[in-house]
Amino acid sequence: METTQSNLFELQIDELSNGYLKETAKWAKFLSILGFIGCGLIVLIGLGMTFFFSSVNSRELAGPVGMYSSGLSLVYIAMAALYFFPCLYLYRFAAGMQAALQAGEPVQLQTSFRNLKSCFRFIGILTIILMSIYLLVIVGVAIIGFASF
């Protein structure tokens, strides 16, 4: 058992793995920058909805749209905030990986992988939360549907 752990600490990155990691870092940086742009667009849409709904006469928006317009804007801004963090972790992974491979710095490599782990952990926890909410909504709709019979 101890020989396996000592071998893990002596792990080296060969040229083929180095190439894969470089390409992965480039794509991760590209996707994270697109994610940041997406976050910005979502925030702009949320703010635009706020200004649009506040400028429209309240009589024109009588009903559910008028009542929930500011809440919907806040949902968009909250979605952008939630989407920002995985993009930030992914960008930190990409930048750290590129720097680590260029300088051959093992501490930078560890930090880069820690950011990748944080990205996947955040996305995983968020996925579990959203699936739980979906399940609750489905159960709630089913209960309401059966109660209406």
Side-chain angles (χ1 to χ4, degrees):
M1 187 72 122
E2 290 183 34
T3 57
T4 305
Q5 284 192 351
S6 66
N7 288 339
L8 288 177
F9 291 114
E10 297 171 9
L11 188 64
Q12 299 287 325
I13 297 175
D14 62 358
E15 286 301 315
L16 187 60
S17 297
N18 190 2
Y20 290 150
L21 286 172
K22 280 183 182 179
E23 187 173 346
T24 301
K26 287 178 188 177
W27 280 106
K29 187 176 267 190
F30 172 71
L31 291 174
S32 65
I33 290 171
L34 284 181
F36 288 136
I37 292 169
C39 287
L41 289 175
I42 292 171
V43 167
L44 287 176
I45 290 170
L47 293 175
M49 288 172 49
T50 301
F51 293 125
F52 172 75
F53 287 127
S54 66
S55 68
V56 174
N57 191 351
S58 63
R59 287 181 297 181
E60 294 173 9
L61 288 176
V65 175
M67 291 182 351
Y68 301 116
S69 61
S70 61
L72 188 59
S73 300
L74 290 176
V75 167
Y76 269 80
I77 294 171
M79 283 178 10
L82 282 175
Y83 188 49
F84 174 79
F85 290 105
C87 295
L88 179 64
Y89 290 133
L90 190 62
Y91 182 81
R92 287 179 179 170
F93 160 73
M97 183 59 70
Q98 287 175 333
L101 292 175
Q102 189 174 24
E105 183 65 36
V107 175
Q108 188 73 27
L109 185 69
Q110 290 173 351
T111 304
S112 177
F113 279 127
R114 185 179 65 228
N115 282 301
L116 184 63
K117 176 199 66 124
S118 297
C119 177
F120 283 121
R121 182 177 56 194
F122 190 92
I123 291 171
I125 291 169
L126 190 62
T127 301
I128 291 169
I129 291 169
L130 289 175
M131 290 177 70
S132 300
I133 291 171
Y134 291 154
L135 183 64
L136 289 174
V137 167
I138 290 170
V139 169
V141 167
I143 290 172
I144 291 171
F146 287 128
S148 66
F149 281 123

